[in-house]
Amino acid sequence: MSSRDVVFLIEDDKQYLDMYQQILDSEFKTVAFTSAKEALKKFKEFAPKTILLDLNLPDINGIEFCEILFSEYCTNTDVDIIIVSGETAPLSKLTAFEAGVADYLTKPFDLQELVYKVRSSVQRKIKEQKLICDAAESQQLIYTTMEQASQYSQVMNFFKNLSKCKNIEEASRVFFESMQYFGLKTSIKFKLPQDTYFRCDGIEISPIEIDVYALLEPKGRLYMFTNRMIVNDEHVSFIIKNPPKDEHSLGQIRDYTAAMIEGLEAKILELYSQDGMGKAILELAENIGELKLGVGQHNKIINSVMTNVMLEIAGSYHSLEMTEPQELFLNKLIEAATEELSNAEEILVEIMNRLEDLKLQMEKVQDAGAHKGFDLEDSSDVELF
């Protein structure tokens, strides 16, 4: 017990009132009243733990006092009432119990019994109120834990859904869905391959908001300004236009958004890489096609030229009056040139095949990157922060 524990003494007999104060003042802060109505007026000011109440009072009796107190000022969990009365009939105690009285002391009584009953009442009320307070704190802890679990689950879903996005439009939609869950109004800026802005309501971003992004991007990962907050990474930023005002909720949002900005940063780099890979594959395919076409045309020309040369030479052997060794030498020379051209063609074909293999490998890398995501469904020990 504390010296601040207040006990109300309501008794119209001054002699009894003085006696109560004399024996109780050493342990409690007693406040004495001869009028029940005056005690009601002072109840909220002092918030007593226990009320020692005479049953028969001149203005209102003890039962009426209890009915007014518990209907207009408090509940019986807030204060204990000990009735003091000369009435010993069982009906009096039953009526008092129904009115919410905690104890009943019959006159005449032993003073030590009075002290014991008041002391026990105050101790019981302190314990009861502590239990109520502990229960409320436990309930709040349960609620907070459930709320945090729900928010954690939402962030995990954000990463899972983000991993499936194929462009920044889809990434922005997933981002806005998560922000809506937290009750946050936002806009977002992607800086690859070029500056692109989105707002949660789908309206085109205003020119001044574009300027705000440019001004605040160098301010660090998390930066509060007026009643807003910007979250920055190298290639993505977003503005929260209605961050929570209480520190606990704001701290949670800071943690969640710090993790989410990293996921967005990784995703935009992945999308940019995938886009660059796709363009490289397309350009390589076009070059291979052009090379095939060029090699085919080149072979046709070479074959045509060689055929004409061989026919011309074969038809000119007699007119040129070449000796047999000369004809044999010229034939070998033509055969060697033809073989070299054939070898050159095989080299070109081999180069085309290698380029085709390279294109296939690049496509596999691109496909693997496109399907790579956050494997959260089977992870039970992922640490988000």
Side-chain angles (χ1 to χ4, degrees):
M1 289 180 296
S2 165
S3 59
R4 296 189 216 170
D5 295 329
V6 177
V7 176
F8 271 13
L9 308 174
I10 308 176
E11 170 66 64
D12 64 326
D13 188 320
K14 192 71 169 57
Q15 185 177 355
Y16 269 103
L17 196 59
D18 291 342
M19 181 181 64
Y20 295 157
Q21 281 193 294
Q22 184 178 356
I23 62 175
L24 294 173
D25 267 350
S26 61
E27 290 190 45
F28 311 102
K29 178 180 179 181
T30 60
V31 184
F33 300 92
T34 57
S35 164
K37 290 183 178 179
E38 287 299 319
L40 287 171
K41 292 179 182 178
K42 295 291 185 179
F43 178 80
K44 290 186 177 179
E45 178 183 346
F46 288 96
K49 292 284 192 301
T50 297
I51 297 176
L52 191 64
L53 175 66
D54 186 19
L55 184 61
N56 298 307
L57 295 166
D59 48 358
I60 55 176
N61 64 44
I63 301 302
E64 292 173 331
F65 174 88
C66 292
E67 292 173 349
I68 296 172
L69 179 69
F70 292 140
S71 64
E72 299 181 17
Y73 293 88
C74 67
T75 67
N76 56 9
T77 60
D78 298 315
V79 63
D80 261 2
I81 294 181
I82 302 175
I83 287 286
V84 179
S85 174
E87 297 183 17
T88 60
L91 182 60
S92 295
K93 290 188 176 182
L94 181 59
T95 302
F97 175 76
E98 291 176 345
V101 172
D103 206 346
Y104 196 101
L105 191 60
T106 304
K107 295 178 182 179
F109 50 81
D110 183 80
L111 292 181
Q112 291 302 317
E113 182 183 8
L114 173 65
V115 173
Y116 172 78
K117 284 184 175 291
V118 172
R119 183 186 298 132
S120 298
S121 171
V122 172
Q123 290 175 341
R124 182 173 61 252
K125 194 51 56 180
I126 290 173
K127 291 179 180 178
E128 184 179 0
Q129 291 175 352
K130 184 177 186 303
L131 286 173
I132 293 172
C133 182
D134 290 345
E137 290 178 354
S138 297
Q139 187 65 33
Q140 181 60 40
L141 179 61
I142 292 171
Y143 172 79
T144 301
T145 302
M146 292 177 64
E147 181 185 32
Q148 289 177 341
S150 177
Q151 292 175 344
Y152 176 83
S153 176
Q154 176 61 34
V155 175
M156 299 296 279
N157 283 332
F158 163 78
F159 281 107
K160 183 173 69 175
N161 294 332
L162 183 66
S163 69
K164 301 174 184 176
C165 294
K166 298 178 180 178
N167 50 58
I168 60 174
E169 287 78 10
E170 292 182 5
S172 67
R173 177 182 56 78
V174 169
F175 168 74
F176 289 135
E177 287 175 354
S178 292
M179 291 295 100
Q180 185 178 12
Y181 172 85
F182 292 114
L184 301 174
K185 297 179 179 178
T186 54
S187 63
I188 189 167
K189 174 184 179 181
F190 295 101
K191 309 168 195 176
L192 278 178
Q194 59 189 16
D195 290 353
T196 307
Y197 302 86
F198 298 95
R199 272 178 39 154
C200 58
D201 53 14
I203 298 174
E204 184 179 351
I205 194 169
S206 65
I208 193 170
E209 195 163 349
I210 293 175
D211 292 340
V212 169
Y213 270 107
L215 288 171
L216 299 183
E217 283 168 2
K219 294 294 184 178
R221 173 58 58 88
L222 295 168
Y223 182 75
M224 298 294 300
F225 63 105
T226 60
N227 58 341
R228 291 173 170 81
M229 180 172 74
I230 189 169
V231 186
N232 294 308
D233 212 312
E234 186 175 356
H235 300 101
V236 61
S237 297
F238 57 84
I239 292 175
I240 298 175
K241 302 178 182 181
N242 60 333
K245 297 186 183 302
D246 66 284
E247 285 300 321
H248 173 70
S249 298
L250 181 60
Q252 288 183 317
I253 293 301
R254 285 175 178 269
D255 290 340
Y256 297 146
T257 54
M260 292 169 73
I261 194 74
E262 292 186 8
L264 287 165
E265 176 73 12
K267 187 62 185 181
I268 192 172
L269 290 174
E270 175 194 323
L271 290 173
Y272 182 71
S273 175
Q274 291 294 322
D275 183 61
M277 181 72 78
K279 290 178 179 178
I281 291 172
L282 181 61
E283 184 176 351
L284 180 59
E286 292 176 352
N287 290 335
I288 291 173
E290 292 176 0
L291 181 59
K292 284 182 178 179
L293 181 61
V295 170
Q297 292 175 345
H298 176 268
N299 289 340
K300 287 180 181 180
I301 294 172
I302 292 297
N303 290 336
S304 175
V305 170
M306 291 300 298
T307 299
N308 292 333
V309 168
M310 292 175 65
L311 290 174
E312 288 290 335
I313 292 175
S316 304
Y317 282 155
H318 298 293
S319 61
L320 293 175
E321 297 181 354
M322 296 178 64
T323 64
E324 184 175 349
Q326 288 176 328
E327 289 181 9
L328 183 61
F329 173 78
L330 187 58
N331 286 332
K332 287 183 178 181
L333 188 63
I334 294 173
E335 288 175 3
T338 303
E339 185 176 355
E340 287 183 10
L341 288 173
S342 177
N343 291 336
E345 181 181 351
E346 290 178 1
I347 292 173
L348 289 173
V349 171
E350 178 64 22
I351 291 173
M352 285 190 295
N353 290 335
R354 290 180 182 178
L355 290 174
E356 287 282 5
D357 290 340
L358 177 60
K359 183 172 78 71
L360 289 174
Q361 292 176 20
M362 292 173 68
E363 288 172 345
K364 288 179 180 180
V365 171
Q366 183 186 40
D367 186 63
H371 290 86
K372 182 181 69 175
F374 300 91
D375 187 13
L376 302 180
E377 294 179 345
D378 300 326
S379 297
S380 58
D381 59 348
V382 176
E383 291 190 10
L384 186 58
F385 311 115

